Amino acid sequence: MAHADHPNLTVLDHPLIQHKLALLRNRDTASKDFRQLAAEITMLMTYEVTRDLPTEPVEVATPLETTVAQRLAGKKLVLVPILRAGLGMVDGILQLIPSARVGHIGLYRDHTSLEPVSYYFKVPEATQSRDVYLLDPMVATGGSAMDAIGKLKDAGISRIRLLCLVAAPEGVRALEKAHPDVPVFAAALDRRLNESGYILPGLGDAGDRLFGTR
């Protein structure tokens, strides 16, 4: 549901999402299970995030008769994970929308300045005319997401949605100010950032937990 304090934020509080998020947060969850849970949560979020996708009628021959059904219309979606942690969200969407195209943005956060450092940008051709789903498991300060959105806009892309698993109020406010036109979808809005810029209660470093580098 839309958040009262953050007009660009929708928190997807379905019971299945919340149950799997509780397992994801657990420090004892192994990397294998963490990856599966991240994909499953993203898949469940996709149902809501894609609710307004356009459809068109198509004639289908069933075993009994011919009928008119609905199929997705328009150009294929583009998924753009922020490397590396965003990769953990891609497969959950591709399970439902296997025709989606995938770009990549390489960013990492400098642990001293907490500012994003860019090292890679590649998206499919003609992305400017497609809906783009930017994937970032954690929105902490919002710096990486803001930088990624800025790079997408510089490439002529305007139809952008940000999907994350966990967000901090500080990051959501920063995104509202920098990119008020970009809707944000999250499984949870957490309490705050600590002095090191990590989300509380959060779920740790998503990249380390996904790939077993903690």
Side-chain angles (χ1 to χ4, degrees):
M1 63 179 182
H3 198 278
D5 297 328
H6 303 286
N8 71 328
L9 174 66
T10 300
V11 177
L12 303 175
D13 56 356
H14 190 283
L16 285 176
I17 292 177
Q18 297 308 307
H19 169 75
K20 291 179 183 295
L21 182 60
L23 298 174
L24 195 75
R25 291 187 191 274
N26 191 323
R27 66 183 181 183
D28 295 326
T29 297
S31 291
K32 171 182 175 294
D33 298 322
F34 192 95
R35 287 193 294 271
Q36 181 174 337
L37 287 163
E40 289 174 350
I41 293 169
T42 307
M43 184 186 298
L44 291 167
M45 292 176 65
T46 301
Y47 282 103
E48 291 299 323
V49 176
T50 58
R51 182 175 291 276
D52 60 352
L53 287 180
T55 60
E56 62 185 4
V58 58
E59 191 173 89
V60 175
T62 79
L64 299 178
E65 64 179 22
T66 298
T67 187
V68 175
Q70 297 293 318
R71 69 179 178 189
L72 292 177
K75 294 189 176 180
K76 294 178 174 64
L77 299 176
V78 175
L79 314 179
V80 181
I82 297 178
L83 303 178
R84 62 183 169 146
L87 292 172
M89 302 177 69
V90 173
D91 284 348
I93 301 179
L94 289 178
Q95 288 289 322
L96 296 177
I97 313 174
S99 62
R101 299 183 177 185
V102 182
H104 298 88
I105 295 179
L107 296 170
Y108 68 88
R109 185 169 68 161
D110 184 280
H111 288 291
T112 301
S113 67
L114 301 183
E115 293 298 318
V117 179
S118 174
Y119 64 90
Y120 188 75
F121 180 90
K122 188 173 182 63
V123 295
E125 292 183 5
T127 298
Q128 294 86 346
S129 60
R130 302 175 189 272
D131 290 325
V132 171
Y133 290 4
L134 181 65
L135 310 178
D136 190 7
M138 306 186 73
V139 172
T141 65
S144 294
M146 287 188 293
D147 191 84
I149 292 169
K151 285 179 167 48
L152 290 171
K153 288 183 174 180
D154 289 344
I157 300 162
S158 59
R159 290 151 52 184
I160 306 167
R161 296 183 176 194
L162 172 62
L163 280 65
C164 65
L165 303 181
V166 175
E170 295 89 336
V172 174
R173 283 194 294 268
L175 281 164
E176 287 172 358
K177 183 176 181 180
H179 300 288
D181 57 320
V182 176
V184 180
F185 297 86
L189 179 67
D190 278 10
R191 191 170 76 254
R192 66 177 179 89
L193 298 178
N194 67 12
E195 60 279 359
S196 299
Y198 287 95
I199 301 174
L200 297 176
L203 45 79
D205 186 299
D208 284 346
R209 297 196 66 189
L210 279 164
F211 300 112
T213 53
R214 55 177 171 170

